[in-house]
Amino acid sequence: MCGIIACTSTQEVRPLLLNGLRHLEYRGYDSAGLAVLTTSGHLEVHKKIGRVDSLAAHLPSSPPPAHLGISHTRWATHGEPSDSNAHPHLDQSGLLALVHNGTIENHADLKSQLLAAGHHFLSETDTEVLAHLVGQHYDASSASGPDRLTDSLRLALASVKGTFALAVIHRDLPDIIVGTRRGSPLVLGLGRNQHLLASDAAALLPHTRKVIFLNDLDITTISPDNFSIASLGPHTASWHISDLDLAPDAASRGHFPHFMLKEIHEQPLAISRSLHRRLDHDNASAHLDQLGLSPASLHHIDRVRIIGCGSALYAGMTGARMIESTAFLPADTEIAGEFRSLNRPLGNHSLVITVSQSGETADSLAALREARRKGALTLALTNHPSSSLAREADATLELLAGPEIGVAATKSFVSQLSAFALLALALGRLRHLPHHSGLELIHALEQLPSQIDSILAQSHSIAAIAARFASSHGMLFLGRGLLFPIALEGALKMKEISYIHAAGFAASELKHGVIALIDPHTPSVCLCPDDSLLSKNIGTIHEIKARRGPVIAITSNPNPEIDSLADAVIRIPATLDLLQPILHTIPLQLLAYHTALALGRDIDKPRNLAKSVTVD
Ligand code: AGP
């Protein structure tokens, strides 16, 4: 989704802006642009549909120096991808330039008023309306210097409905960038002789580790040697400087051809990190004291509701099943976008867990706010402890997966599953789970990293299976119980990056309609753990084979019946039922990856997708 990087410096800024945009590419975008103010006072704007490289190629070869600029990657919402719809956008005077993440809901009304006042627009975007509105207040203002820009933003934004993170410059203010946010993230980077604004801290890494995560309604004015933060709201702004705890190579692929493959291979480490110092062997439980939720408050919970979108939702569905089966607590899941629209009742003792890798997904944030409004205790499961979600929830369980750049969620998903296993263990031990069962779960959790390694070692044979079925026009993914949500996740991974139509189902639903889809060109991926449901899963394979459907079976212990029936078998290590979802996820990720590779897809930047969906 859209990305912002802006900088005011004592040095040339164009290379820094282009490099920053490249760090934002993973978020998904369709066009890019920048506006710089040259040292001779000329406002230069360049915008290009397509990749950042197209923008770079479009820039003049020996341009005049520029020490101040704003830049943007756009993911189209209002208006198709095009040069003219790309950001930055100018105001009516052509002297003020603005980049924006988010959506302006009342842009149509605002545009009518501006058109009536004689404004002319060059794009179909809501952002250009915002630029004109800010410019209108700037022209009318009696203030001078930076105050004139902050005042005009304050006045303009008072009439704006929607979400924004934005950075604005004006030709008459050669050192100054003003940035502000409401509902979309914006981070201030404190560099040497320069200050930066970015929508994503990863883009600041090459320049500084000292950052300030701006709060909603903060408005900041930056120059190369100074910054100030005020509030657009009634309160005084409060902020603190954080140290970015990211490895310098966090945003690099290393020796892997794709971020997705790198992140799939980082999963043993991600799981180890998520378990480190959280396993309580003495009490056969999990240390969740860092949550800041007392055992008493957790004991009072009588219902758990888990909310998320996409993969995070499927992790939540698995988590609900883990919590119900381990802690005997009623737990269910809701799509975040539905939760916010449906006015769901919440009991007095509900725990609402919002799951989100980014912690910035618009629907998940809105759902969290709705749950808080209704008085529920809220817990965020996120990879970003400084995210809006983490800051607004009562408590946070950090995933510790490390930065995830690939658009397709992989290591964040298995880290969410392991976090849910820890939560189920802790909640279970607060209730009826016996000590020996708790210990058994701890030992099984500790084996996961090496078990995942052994599945990763099968990458070549999974690639061969993927190549065999890559020309399929559709694929089905079937699982039962704890593995039903994993079937949904397997299908999501497959369609996201291979563009093959894929659908996940509860295997028990096969006979109720899905079976009509079975034919020799539609492979079914059957999740068949060696558990109490094995004979039912073998029955499902029989039903598919009877209709000449190809079957890829994922199973643990050797089973002659599955071996003879299935067209391909992927064998994974045996584990406790509760942890089967984690191990079954790995071959599904590899299957999707190798299928997309065989089809020549752009794996890290799949079409139309954004890494984090920060707009409604
Ligand atoms: C997963 O591969 C997807 N990219 C997508 O479904 C994602 O999980 C979803 O948009 C939620 O994102 P979040 O975890 O950052 O909230």
Side-chain angles (χ1 to χ4, degrees):
M1 204 136 271
C2 303
I4 292 174
I5 174 98
C7 181
T8 170
S9 175
T10 52
Q11 307 292 316
E12 172 63 39
V13 291
R14 289 183 190 87
L16 180 151
L17 295 177
L18 287 173
N19 191 32
L21 291 179
R22 290 194 175 97
H23 277 88
L24 296 170
E25 285 191 296
Y26 78 96
R27 296 167 62 97
Y29 71 108
D30 45 57
S31 52
L34 58 77
V36 292
L37 196 54
T38 66
T39 48
S40 53
H42 178 61
L43 184 63
E44 216 184 70
V45 183
H46 301 279
K47 316 199 282 187
K48 223 49 208 149
I49 187 170
R51 297 289 184 219
V52 174
D53 285 343
S54 314
L55 174 68
H58 174 74
L59 297 183
S61 47
S62 42
H67 295 172
L68 172 104
I70 57 178
S71 61
H72 190 262
T73 47
R74 173 175 186 255
W75 188 85
T77 55
H78 298 72
E80 62 174 10
S82 67
D83 291 354
S84 54
N85 284 337
H87 301 206
H89 288 285
L90 298 177
D91 74 333
Q92 179 69 18
S93 72
L95 302 178
L96 179 146
L98 178 151
V99 288
H100 164 228
N101 286 2
T103 43
I104 306 302
E105 288 165 16
N106 57 338
H107 68 99
D109 289 346
L110 295 170
K111 190 169 183 171
S112 313
Q113 291 162 23
L114 289 161
L115 283 168
H119 287 238
H120 297 284
F121 291 89
L122 305 173
S123 80
E124 305 152 282
T125 64
D126 53 342
T127 301
E128 192 185 11
V129 175
L130 191 55
H132 278 241
L133 192 65
V134 179
Q136 190 183 46
H137 285 288
Y138 188 91
D139 293 341
S141 172
S142 55
S144 60
D147 287 350
R148 193 162 180 187
L149 195 49
T150 47
D151 285 358
S152 52
L153 267 166
R154 200 183 284 277
L155 289 166
L157 294 172
S159 57
V160 160
K161 293 190 184 125
T163 55
F164 50 78
L166 45 92
V168 194
I169 57 175
H170 194 283
R171 191 206 58 184
D172 297 344
L173 301 169
D175 284 341
I176 300 295
I177 303 176
V178 178
T180 184
R181 61 160 285 182
R182 184 170 80 198
S184 263
L186 194 64
V187 192
L188 166 56
L190 314 176
R192 188 176 300 162
N193 299 325
Q194 61 187 18
H195 286 106
L196 306 99
L197 290 172
S199 51
D200 185 329
L204 299 174
L205 259 187
H207 312 290
T208 182
R209 287 180 171 274
K210 298 261 177 251
V211 300
I212 296 170
F213 291 94
L214 296 173
N215 293 309
D216 262 356
L217 301 184
D218 281 354
I219 181 163
T220 181
T221 304
I222 59 173
S223 63
D225 53 5
N226 209 352
F227 73 88
S228 63
I229 302 176
S231 176
L232 292 174
H235 308 294
T236 321
S238 73
W239 48 268
H240 72 274
I241 299 175
S242 309
D243 276 310
L244 277 184
D245 184 21
L246 292 172
D249 66 346
S252 96
R253 281 190 277 111
H255 63 277
F256 289 95
H258 297 100
F259 278 111
M260 183 181 177
L261 192 63
K262 176 182 180 238
E263 287 157 7
I264 288 173
H265 280 80
E266 284 172 346
Q267 294 180 116
L269 185 63
I271 296 266
S272 303
R273 258 200 311 257
S274 79
L275 299 180
H276 184 59
R277 289 204 294 231
R278 284 175 172 167
L279 294 175
D280 176 359
H281 292 81
D282 292 343
N283 294 303
S285 184
H287 287 299
L288 294 182
D289 14 334
Q290 66 265 56
L291 287 186
L293 297 177
S294 66
S297 64
L298 290 172
H299 204 82
H300 273 96
I301 296 162
D302 62 9
R303 183 181 196 90
V304 178
R305 183 157 275 173
I306 306 175
I307 298 171
C309 306
S311 294
L313 173 73
Y314 301 149
M317 284 175 75
T318 319
R321 285 158 161 80
M322 287 175 168
I323 289 169
E324 284 201 335
S325 63
T326 310
F328 314 113
L329 252 177
D332 55 20
T333 327
E334 185 72 89
I335 298 168
E338 291 291 294
F339 182 82
R340 65 187 287 200
S341 345
L342 284 176
N343 196 19
R344 290 278 195 215
L346 285 176
N348 289 342
H349 301 294
S350 291
L351 172 68
V352 172
I353 305 178
T354 312
V355 192
S356 172
Q357 187 284 130
S358 61
E360 300 293 350
T361 299
D363 279 336
S364 305
L365 259 174
L368 172 88
R369 288 171 187 153
E370 173 72 357
R372 278 177 65 80
R373 194 184 62 73
K374 289 185 168 165
L377 187 63
T378 55
L379 170 64
L381 238 73
T382 178
N383 209 18
H384 291 270
S386 323
S387 62
S388 307
L389 196 77
R391 284 186 287 163
E392 293 187 30
D394 295 308
T396 300
L397 183 53
E398 191 182 347
L399 297 177
L400 302 169
E404 187 176 72
I405 308 290
V407 167
T410 53
K411 61 178 180 172
S412 65
F413 181 76
V414 299
S415 301
Q416 284 159 0
L417 297 184
S418 79
F420 272 119
L422 288 173
L423 210 52
L425 173 61
L427 291 172
R429 290 290 292 138
L430 279 175
R431 290 173 170 75
H432 315 287
L433 190 74
H435 189 275
H436 68 87
S437 305
L439 269 189
E440 202 184 13
L441 181 51
I442 287 179
H443 292 144
L445 280 164
E446 288 174 327
Q447 285 175 34
L448 285 175
S450 63
Q451 291 179 317
I452 295 175
D453 268 330
S454 76
I455 303 173
L456 295 175
Q458 299 180 53
S459 188
H460 285 298
S461 54
I462 295 175
I465 299 172
R468 255 171 87 189
F469 295 103
S471 58
S472 309
H473 54 65
M475 282 194 192
L476 306 177
F477 290 75
L478 302 163
R480 280 187 157 79
L482 278 158
L483 291 176
F484 165 44
I486 303 305
L488 297 174
E489 170 64 6
L492 179 65
K493 262 338 49 117
M494 184 60 79
K495 63 189 153 206
E496 272 190 308
I497 57 166
S498 76
Y499 316 148
I500 292 177
H501 178 75
F505 298 97
S508 58
E509 281 288 288
L510 181 69
K511 291 196 270 295
H512 301 286
V514 184
I515 202 158
L517 297 174
I518 304 290
D519 70 20
H521 311 291
T522 308
S524 296
V525 180
C526 297
L527 310 181
C528 308
D530 195 357
D531 60 11
S532 58
L533 299 171
L534 182 64
S535 61
K536 285 195 183 304
N537 283 321
I538 292 177
T540 300
I541 296 181
H542 273 290
E543 286 160 8
I544 297 169
K545 289 310 300 175
R547 286 149 187 93
R548 300 200 298 129
V551 167
I552 303 167
I554 302 179
T555 183
S556 38
N557 295 325
N559 183 295
E561 204 173 351
I562 294 180
D563 289 352
S564 68
L565 281 171
D567 298 79
V569 178
I570 302 171
R571 194 106 47 219
I572 61 172
T575 185
L576 291 184
D577 289 357
L578 199 79
L579 303 184
Q580 295 284 5
I582 296 180
L583 294 186
H584 276 77
T585 298
I586 316 298
L588 296 179
Q589 296 168 341
L590 288 170
L591 196 63
Y593 174 82
H594 287 297
T595 305
L597 195 64
L599 293 170
R601 306 298 192 220
D602 192 350
I603 293 177
D604 284 332
K605 299 186 199 91
R607 70 181 179 204
N608 302 336
L609 293 185
K611 179 64 182 163
S612 93
V613 184
T614 50
V615 295
D616 285 335

